[in-house]
PDB file of all heavy atoms in Angstrom:
ATOM      1  N   TRP A 153       4.576   2.561   0.067  1.00 93.00           N
ATOM      2  CA  TRP A 153       4.718   3.853   0.748  1.00 93.00           C
ATOM      3  C   TRP A 153       6.051   3.874   1.472  1.00 93.00           C
ATOM      4  O   TRP A 153       6.347   3.001   2.285  1.00 93.00           O
ATOM      5  CB  TRP A 153       3.576   4.073   1.736  1.00 93.00           C
ATOM      6  CG  TRP A 153       2.264   4.375   1.083  1.00 93.00           C
ATOM      7  CD1 TRP A 153       1.257   3.512   0.825  1.00 93.00           C
ATOM      8  CD2 TRP A 153       1.833   5.661   0.616  1.00 93.00           C
ATOM      9  NE1 TRP A 153       0.209   4.155   0.209  1.00 93.00           N
ATOM     10  CE2 TRP A 153       0.527   5.478   0.071  1.00 93.00           C
ATOM     11  CE3 TRP A 153       2.402   6.937   0.610  1.00 93.00           C
ATOM     12  CZ2 TRP A 153      -0.197   6.526  -0.478  1.00 93.00           C
ATOM     13  CZ3 TRP A 153       1.678   7.984   0.061  1.00 93.00           C
ATOM     14  CH2 TRP A 153       0.398   7.783  -0.480  1.00 93.00           C
ATOM     15  N   LEU A 154       6.852   4.864   1.193  1.00 95.00           N
ATOM     16  CA  LEU A 154       8.175   4.999   1.784  1.00 95.00           C
ATOM     17  C   LEU A 154       8.103   5.799   3.074  1.00 95.00           C
ATOM     18  O   LEU A 154       7.108   6.457   3.376  1.00 95.00           O
ATOM     19  CB  LEU A 154       9.114   5.698   0.803  1.00 95.00           C
ATOM     20  CG  LEU A 154       9.222   5.080  -0.591  1.00 95.00           C
ATOM     21  CD1 LEU A 154      10.085   5.965  -1.492  1.00 95.00           C
ATOM     22  CD2 LEU A 154       9.783   3.668  -0.524  1.00 95.00           C
ATOM     23  N   SER A 155       9.192   5.751   3.845  1.00 95.00           N
ATOM     24  CA  SER A 155       9.253   6.547   5.073  1.00 95.00           C
ATOM     25  C   SER A 155       9.337   8.037   4.756  1.00 95.00           C
ATOM     26  O   SER A 155       8.905   8.873   5.544  1.00 95.00           O
ATOM     27  CB  SER A 155      10.463   6.131   5.914  1.00 95.00           C
ATOM     28  OG  SER A 155      11.678   6.406   5.221  1.00 95.00           O
ATOM     29  N   LYS A 156       9.861   8.358   3.570  1.00 94.00           N
ATOM     30  CA  LYS A 156       9.957   9.753   3.118  1.00 94.00           C
ATOM     31  C   LYS A 156      10.359   9.747   1.653  1.00 94.00           C
ATOM     32  O   LYS A 156      10.817   8.731   1.110  1.00 94.00           O
ATOM     33  CB  LYS A 156      10.995  10.524   3.931  1.00 94.00           C
ATOM     34  CG  LYS A 156      12.399   9.929   3.870  1.00 94.00           C
ATOM     35  CD  LYS A 156      13.369  10.681   4.763  1.00 94.00           C
ATOM     36  CE  LYS A 156      14.756  10.013   4.732  1.00 94.00           C
ATOM     37  NZ  LYS A 156      15.701  10.731   5.622  1.00 94.00           N
ATOM     38  N   ALA A 157      10.185  10.882   0.997  1.00 94.00           N
ATOM     39  CA  ALA A 157      10.675  11.028  -0.371  1.00 94.00           C
ATOM     40  C   ALA A 157      12.199  11.088  -0.349  1.00 94.00           C
ATOM     41  O   ALA A 157      12.802  11.488   0.649  1.00 94.00           O
ATOM     42  CB  ALA A 157      10.105  12.285  -1.008  1.00 94.00           C
ATOM     43  N   PRO A 158      12.866  10.691  -1.434  1.00 95.00           N
ATOM     44  CA  PRO A 158      14.334  10.666  -1.446  1.00 95.00           C
ATOM     45  C   PRO A 158      14.940  12.044  -1.171  1.00 95.00           C
ATOM     46  O   PRO A 158      14.604  13.027  -1.839  1.00 95.00           O
ATOM     47  CB  PRO A 158      14.667  10.200  -2.864  1.00 95.00           C
ATOM     48  CG  PRO A 158      13.444   9.474  -3.323  1.00 95.00           C
ATOM     49  CD  PRO A 158      12.295  10.172  -2.684  1.00 95.00           C
ATOM     50  N   GLU A 159      15.828  12.114  -0.207  1.00 95.00           N
ATOM     51  CA  GLU A 159      16.439  13.392   0.169  1.00 95.00           C
ATOM     52  C   GLU A 159      17.312  13.958  -0.943  1.00 95.00           C
ATOM     53  O   GLU A 159      17.449  15.177  -1.052  1.00 95.00           O
ATOM     54  CB  GLU A 159      17.264  13.231   1.445  1.00 95.00           C
ATOM     55  CG  GLU A 159      16.410  13.061   2.695  1.00 95.00           C
ATOM     56  CD  GLU A 159      17.238  13.109   3.964  1.00 95.00           C
ATOM     57  OE1 GLU A 159      18.490  13.150   3.854  1.00 95.00           O
ATOM     58  OE2 GLU A 159      16.654  13.106   5.061  1.00 95.00           O
ATOM     59  N   VAL A 160      17.894  13.086  -1.765  1.00 95.00           N
ATOM     60  CA  VAL A 160      18.740  13.585  -2.847  1.00 95.00           C
ATOM     61  C   VAL A 160      17.919  14.447  -3.807  1.00 95.00           C
ATOM     62  O   VAL A 160      18.457  15.370  -4.446  1.00 95.00           O
ATOM     63  CB  VAL A 160      19.412  12.413  -3.599  1.00 95.00           C
ATOM     64  CG1 VAL A 160      18.389  11.581  -4.356  1.00 95.00           C
ATOM     65  CG2 VAL A 160      20.495  12.920  -4.539  1.00 95.00           C
ATOM     66  N   LEU A 161      16.620  14.194  -3.889  1.00 95.00           N
ATOM     67  CA  LEU A 161      15.752  15.016  -4.724  1.00 95.00           C
ATOM     68  C   LEU A 161      15.261  16.242  -3.967  1.00 95.00           C
ATOM     69  O   LEU A 161      15.339  17.358  -4.481  1.00 95.00           O
ATOM     70  CB  LEU A 161      14.552  14.196  -5.217  1.00 95.00           C
ATOM     71  CG  LEU A 161      14.849  12.919  -6.009  1.00 95.00           C
ATOM     72  CD1 LEU A 161      13.538  12.264  -6.449  1.00 95.00           C
ATOM     73  CD2 LEU A 161      15.724  13.217  -7.217  1.00 95.00           C
ATOM     74  N   THR A 162      14.745  16.036  -2.770  1.00 94.00           N
ATOM     75  CA  THR A 162      14.144  17.148  -2.027  1.00 94.00           C
ATOM     76  C   THR A 162      15.175  18.203  -1.637  1.00 94.00           C
ATOM     77  O   THR A 162      14.918  19.402  -1.749  1.00 94.00           O
ATOM     78  CB  THR A 162      13.431  16.624  -0.771  1.00 94.00           C
ATOM     79  OG1 THR A 162      14.367  15.917   0.067  1.00 94.00           O
ATOM     80  CG2 THR A 162      12.295  15.677  -1.149  1.00 94.00           C
ATOM     81  N   LYS A 163      16.348  17.777  -1.186  1.00 95.00           N
ATOM     82  CA  LYS A 163      17.368  18.731  -0.744  1.00 95.00           C
ATOM     83  C   LYS A 163      17.988  19.489  -1.904  1.00 95.00           C
ATOM     84  O   LYS A 163      18.370  20.653  -1.764  1.00 95.00           O
ATOM     85  CB  LYS A 163      18.456  18.011   0.062  1.00 95.00           C
ATOM     86  CG  LYS A 163      17.996  17.583   1.450  1.00 95.00           C
ATOM     87  CD  LYS A 163      19.150  17.055   2.275  1.00 95.00           C
ATOM     88  CE  LYS A 163      18.710  16.768   3.703  1.00 95.00           C
ATOM     89  NZ  LYS A 163      19.830  16.270   4.542  1.00 95.00           N
ATOM     90  N   ASN A 164      18.091  18.819  -3.059  1.00 94.00           N
ATOM     91  CA  ASN A 164      18.687  19.459  -4.236  1.00 94.00           C
ATOM     92  C   ASN A 164      17.645  20.063  -5.172  1.00 94.00           C
ATOM     93  O   ASN A 164      17.979  20.510  -6.263  1.00 94.00           O
ATOM     94  CB  ASN A 164      19.544  18.442  -4.997  1.00 94.00           C
ATOM     95  CG  ASN A 164      20.762  18.003  -4.205  1.00 94.00           C
ATOM     96  OD1 ASN A 164      21.605  18.817  -3.842  1.00 94.00           O
ATOM     97  ND2 ASN A 164      20.844  16.717  -3.933  1.00 94.00           N
ATOM     98  N   GLN A 165      16.386  20.056  -4.724  1.00 94.00           N
ATOM     99  CA  GLN A 165      15.281  20.654  -5.478  1.00 94.00           C
ATOM    100  C   GLN A 165      15.211  20.123  -6.907  1.00 94.00           C
ATOM    101  O   GLN A 165      15.035  20.877  -7.870  1.00 94.00           O
ATOM    102  CB  GLN A 165      15.398  22.185  -5.464  1.00 94.00           C
ATOM    103  CG  GLN A 165      15.338  22.776  -4.061  1.00 94.00           C
ATOM    104  CD  GLN A 165      15.429  24.293  -4.061  1.00 94.00           C
ATOM    105  OE1 GLN A 165      15.937  24.908  -4.998  1.00 94.00           O
ATOM    106  NE2 GLN A 165      14.915  24.900  -3.007  1.00 94.00           N
ATOM    107  N   ILE A 166      15.356  18.808  -7.018  1.00 94.00           N
ATOM    108  CA  ILE A 166      15.236  18.132  -8.307  1.00 94.00           C
ATOM    109  C   ILE A 166      13.799  17.619  -8.424  1.00 94.00           C
ATOM    110  O   ILE A 166      13.362  16.814  -7.599  1.00 94.00           O
ATOM    111  CB  ILE A 166      16.218  16.957  -8.415  1.00 94.00           C
ATOM    112  CG1 ILE A 166      17.662  17.458  -8.275  1.00 94.00           C
ATOM    113  CG2 ILE A 166      16.028  16.206  -9.729  1.00 94.00           C
ATOM    114  CD1 ILE A 166      18.688  16.339  -8.158  1.00 94.00           C
TER     115      ILE A 166
END
Side-chain angles (χ1 to χ4, degrees):
W153 287 98
L154 306 174
S155 64
K156 59 184 177 181
E159 287 188 354
V160 67
L161 303 182
T162 58
K163 287 188 174 181
N164 294 300
Q165 299 181 337
I166 300 171

